[in-house]
Amino acid sequence: MREKKQSLDFTSKWCYEPAPENSDHIQLKKKYELFIDGKFVKPTKGKYFDTINPATEQKLAEIAEADESDVNKAVKAARNSYENVWSKMPAAERGKYIFRIARMIQERAREFAVIETLDGGKPIRESRDIDIPLAANYFFYYAGWADKLAYAFPNRNPKPLGVAGQIIPWNFPLLMAAWKIAPALATGNTVILKPAETTSLTALKLAEIIADSGLPPGVVNIITGGGKTGAAIVNHKDINKIAFTGSTDVGKLIQHSLANTNKKLTLELGGKAANIIFDDAPLDQAVEGIVNGIFFNQGHVCCAGSRLFIQENVANIVIQKLKDRMETLIVGDPMDKNTDIGAINSKQQLETIQKYISIGKKEGADFYQSSCALPKKGYFCKPTLFLNTSQSHRIVQEEIFGPVLTIQTFRTVEEVIEKANNIPYGLSAGVWTDKGSRIFNMTSKLRAGVVWANTYNKFDPTSPFGGYKESGFGREGGLHGLQPYLSL
Ligand code: NAI
Ligand code: MG
């Protein structure tokens, strides 16, 4: 028999056929109203704004813009249901509603994934495999705590705070809604949630589920709008707690507004994480971790591994492997199941990223982008590296929130810890090494809320998440995530 000869050609690129996800099963309304007191209601002033698909620049729907009087209505509904229904309900009953919401998200997971991708631009693979299943998992996890708070905090008599105002960003829309709503309900609070203006649709879909779940009216209110609407929530007198995830600038504004009030506050703000590769690390896995750390979700991740530190003696080989891997990344239609890097969330964010790319070039760092072509329409950015950067560069110090990685080298453990910590942020970090003892040494010295070892960007409802310094305070997830919603 003749032997079939196989030639392996690593230099030529794989060619993929388009594999678009079907969106025929999605029904979007033309107009979305505010979800207040269990009903969808028109905004008082009758104002609406457009939400678009950032991959095509096409309008998807109109979204109601809530003003102060709408916020008043939502707070009134939340207060009323807190006093008369939710705080009086046995905790096990509250848990049942949260379980039901979790199951309903699972049942409608495909619909959620497609809408998340259309509205926000992230690859369907991520919304399908990460965002939506994790959102359901956070509801499941916190449902389980609802009737066990006395065991979570023994001898402490945990009590809910009352009404929580929650403001979330556009990078993980449904997941951030779950991070906020699930622990608030499990601890017996009622909620007013505001999604970000570019990505309101999945939160409004969640409102439909909440209405269908039979949750008593007013326990969860979802109102839409921009910064003004957010500020009206922050400054409302009858709210007991504010939970905010977003930019450090707005976080600081909120902290200012709440000084002198007795509202409780948690802030989850920006980041500029160090991803540190030692010479004994499994280098191929580390390269996957670098790619996942910064190019995942277009770098729209507060804990993105945006500063890469490579031990000097392996720097050349890691950089070469990284460049080779970047060439294989597919940038384009977020609805295609092969896409690795989708659309930047908004024109404004794309401009911010482009501004930082030109700052990096002016600062004198070596610039490298993969050779892929970008779609003609929509907001896209090639995966980008800046090599030979230094601590004083703005691209090293400031959050870019896009697929842009800065690279520095180091020789000793002391040097890299010093550099990694020399930053206003402290949300997360990554360490790649073969030595367990070195991992423990690094995790105790890095000033970051989360340190991943030999992996990156992994989430689990049982793990607390949150920052140091200008990355904010308070923890979300796990047992720790119950605490900000309780008086103990
Ligand atoms: P942003 O902080 O303005 O928006 C986040 C949320 O806050 C949105 O729901 C927004 O409507 C609301 N908001 C805006 N102004 C407010 C105010 N005065 N009071 C209350 N709520 C207010 O973030 P933006 O402008 O969308 O992004 C700017 C930068 O922020 C990004 O380039 C990125 O660096 C960072 N960012 C960080 C996030 C994180 O997860 N830590 C998420 C989103 C952005
Ligand atoms: Mg949108």
Side-chain angles (χ1 to χ4, degrees):
M1 230 167 75
R2 221 157 34 111
E3 216 174 276
K4 212 172 169 189
K5 215 175 163 193
Q6 286 193 341
S7 75
L8 293 174
D9 179 4
F10 288 110
T11 52
S12 67
K13 270 197 189 181
W14 292 97
C15 229
Y16 289 89
E17 290 296 320
E21 174 76 27
N22 196 334
S23 61
D24 292 352
H25 55 106
I26 302 306
Q27 274 159 8
L28 288 179
K29 293 184 210 157
K30 280 211 159 111
K31 254 187 187 178
Y32 282 87
E33 312 294 355
L34 308 169
F35 184 63
I36 297 176
D37 210 12
K39 292 183 286 290
F40 287 93
V41 296
K42 293 195 180 308
T44 315
K45 291 231 172 78
K47 275 198 185 164
Y48 293 81
F49 59 94
D50 292 347
T51 191
I52 65 156
N53 176 346
T56 60
E57 300 175 48
Q58 269 159 3
K59 174 173 162 180
L60 291 170
E62 283 174 27
I63 311 281
E65 184 179 333
D67 70 357
E68 240 171 79
S69 65
D70 299 306
V71 173
N72 279 339
K73 278 187 207 160
V75 176
K76 227 171 151 186
R79 174 62 55 193
N80 185 38
S81 72
Y82 174 73
E83 302 287 350
N84 301 315
V85 186
W86 199 237
S87 64
K88 296 199 171 142
M89 192 182 278
E93 288 302 306
R94 287 204 308 261
K96 283 187 199 167
Y97 283 108
I98 310 171
F99 273 123
R100 193 177 299 164
I101 294 168
R103 282 197 304 272
M104 291 171 83
I105 293 174
Q106 279 187 323
E107 280 159 17
R108 292 173 67 176
R110 267 191 79 201
E111 200 181 333
F112 271 110
V114 169
I115 296 173
E116 201 73 303
T117 285
L118 289 174
D119 201 18
K122 68 172 61 198
I124 185 72
R125 226 172 45 211
E126 278 170 20
S127 31
R128 184 195 63 192
D129 298 346
I130 298 169
D131 292 60
I132 311 304
L134 262 181
N137 282 351
Y138 275 82
F139 276 103
F140 275 121
Y141 173 75
Y142 280 112
W145 274 122
D147 60 349
K148 300 175 194 70
L149 297 176
Y151 301 97
F153 305 101
N155 307 318
R156 300 280 291 278
N157 192 20
K159 290 259 181 315
L161 299 173
V163 176
Q166 309 181 317
I167 298 166
I168 57 171
W170 39 262
N171 51 347
F172 293 91
L174 185 72
L175 185 58
M176 288 301 109
W179 280 30
K180 297 275 183 288
I181 295 174
L185 297 189
T187 46
N189 298 275
T190 58
V191 164
I192 295 125
L193 174 103
K194 191 195 84 62
E197 48 272 48
T198 54
T199 53
S200 303
L201 288 178
T202 44
L204 292 162
K205 274 275 151 193
L206 180 63
E208 289 174 12
I209 280 190
I210 286 170
D212 291 347
S213 75
L215 187 77
V219 174
V220 173
N221 304 276
I222 297 184
I223 61 174
T224 42
K228 257 188 163 174
T229 313
I233 296 174
V234 168
N235 295 319
H236 198 287
K237 291 213 162 47
D238 200 26
I239 286 183
N240 306 92
K241 190 216 152 48
I242 296 290
F244 173 79
T245 300
S247 62
T248 297
D249 287 348
V250 173
K252 285 180 181 170
L253 267 179
I254 292 177
Q255 199 172 10
H256 246 261
S257 324
L258 295 195
N260 257 336
T261 73
N262 56 8
K263 277 179 206 158
K264 273 208 179 190
L265 174 65
T266 40
L267 295 175
E268 202 264 272
L269 309 174
K272 192 78 183 175
N275 202 2
I276 302 166
I277 320 290
F278 285 97
D279 59 3
D280 62 345
L283 296 185
D284 290 311
Q285 278 111 305
V287 168
E288 281 311 300
I290 298 165
V291 166
N292 186 32
I294 185 65
F295 302 135
F296 165 59
N297 199 18
Q298 299 70 250
H300 296 339
V301 186
C302 45
C303 50
S306 49
R307 289 183 297 151
L308 179 63
F309 291 94
I310 316 173
Q311 204 157 21
E312 200 176 75
N313 50 330
V314 290
N316 286 344
I317 180 165
V318 172
I319 290 166
Q320 193 50 54
K321 281 175 184 283
L322 179 59
K323 286 180 174 174
D324 290 346
R325 181 69 178 96
M326 281 165 74
E327 275 303 303
T328 68
L329 292 176
I330 300 172
V331 185
D333 179 7
M335 287 289 279
D336 192 311
K337 284 166 245 169
N338 293 323
T339 294
D340 298 299
I341 301 181
I344 301 299
N345 182 263
S346 65
K347 186 163 183 248
Q348 191 191 359
Q349 188 59 28
L350 181 60
E351 284 166 2
T352 303
I353 298 166
Q354 284 164 343
K355 180 192 85 184
Y356 275 109
I357 290 179
S358 59
I359 289 173
K361 287 177 177 169
K362 277 193 206 126
E363 284 177 324
D366 294 337
F367 166 78
Y368 175 84
Q369 277 186 330
S370 80
S371 68
C372 63
L374 296 184
K376 296 234 156 30
K377 266 223 155 260
Y379 315 131
F380 291 91
C381 180
K382 291 183 184 183
T384 304
L385 302 182
F386 278 108
L387 301 119
N388 296 321
T389 56
S390 76
Q391 281 298 111
S392 60
H393 285 164
R394 280 185 66 189
I395 50 166
V396 171
Q397 289 290 327
E398 296 174 22
E399 185 178 48
I400 300 174
F401 227 61
V404 181
L405 179 66
T406 65
I407 303 184
Q408 291 170 269
T409 58
F410 68 94
R411 288 184 182 169
T412 66
V413 171
E414 292 71 31
E415 179 192 354
V416 77
I417 289 173
E418 163 93 32
K419 283 181 172 165
N421 287 339
N422 179 9
I423 195 98
Y425 296 109
L427 194 55
S428 60
V431 179
W432 297 80
T433 172
D434 194 37
K435 290 191 184 62
S437 59
R438 184 181 273 158
I439 291 171
F440 287 120
N441 181 32
M442 297 291 291
T443 47
S444 64
K445 293 191 177 130
L446 288 168
R447 300 296 291 161
V450 176
V451 182
W452 284 289
N454 295 328
T455 188
Y456 207 90
N457 265 341
K458 293 281 182 268
F459 292 92
D460 188 281
T462 62
S463 292
F465 183 88
Y468 284 98
K469 301 192 274 188
E470 292 201 10
S471 292
F473 47 79
R475 294 292 177 264
E476 295 187 298
L479 186 68
H480 299 68
L482 295 164
Q483 226 159 319
Y485 290 96
L486 290 168
S487 84
L488 289 166

